[in-house]
């Protein structure tokens, strides 16, 4: 279950990723790479011990939450 959770968190982070200073084409290419990275993480972490995947999931979730709040602050 944990590899699916980490993949979901990485997908949410990729969907929320955006840099207004980058050209649209570069941003699109970076998102494609992030989607591929999500797939690689899923395959890579599938056989890993649960504690390591759990830790990595929590770190990614924490970064996603921080990014969300930073984005909200910069919009104001």
């Amino acid at each position: 279950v944990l590899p699916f959770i980490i993949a979901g968190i990485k997908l949410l982070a990729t969907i929320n990723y955006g840099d207004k200073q980058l050209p649209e084409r570069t941003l699109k290419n970076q998102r494609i790479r992030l989607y591929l990275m999500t797939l690689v993480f899923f395959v890579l972490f599938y056989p890993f011990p649960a504690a390591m995947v759990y830790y990595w999931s929590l770190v990614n979730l924490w970064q996603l939450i921080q990014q969300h709040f930073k984005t909200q602050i910069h919009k104001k």
Side-chain angles (χ1 to χ4, degrees):
V1 174
L2 286 174
F4 290 102
I5 292 173
I6 195 172
I9 292 170
K10 294 291 285 174
L11 283 174
L12 284 174
T14 301
I15 291 168
N16 289 331
Y17 176 75
D19 189 352
K20 294 178 181 171
Q21 297 175 352
L22 293 176
E24 187 64 33
R25 182 178 173 148
T26 305
L27 185 61
K28 184 179 178 183
N29 287 339
Q30 284 186 344
R31 280 197 175 139
I32 290 171
R33 288 186 187 115
L34 289 172
Y35 285 125
L36 291 173
M37 235 172 68
T38 300
L39 179 64
V40 169
F41 274 118
F42 177 76
V43 172
L44 180 69
F45 282 121
Y46 198 80
F48 275 41
M52 185 174 179
V53 180
Y54 182 67
Y55 167 76
W56 193 258
S57 298
L58 289 178
V59 168
N60 281 316
L61 181 62
W62 180 249
Q63 288 176 342
L64 180 64
I65 291 169
Q66 283 181 330
Q67 186 63 36
H68 174 73
F69 284 115
K70 284 181 184 178
T71 303
Q72 295 300 323
I73 289 171
H74 288 293
K75 283 184 180 178
K76 292 181 180 181

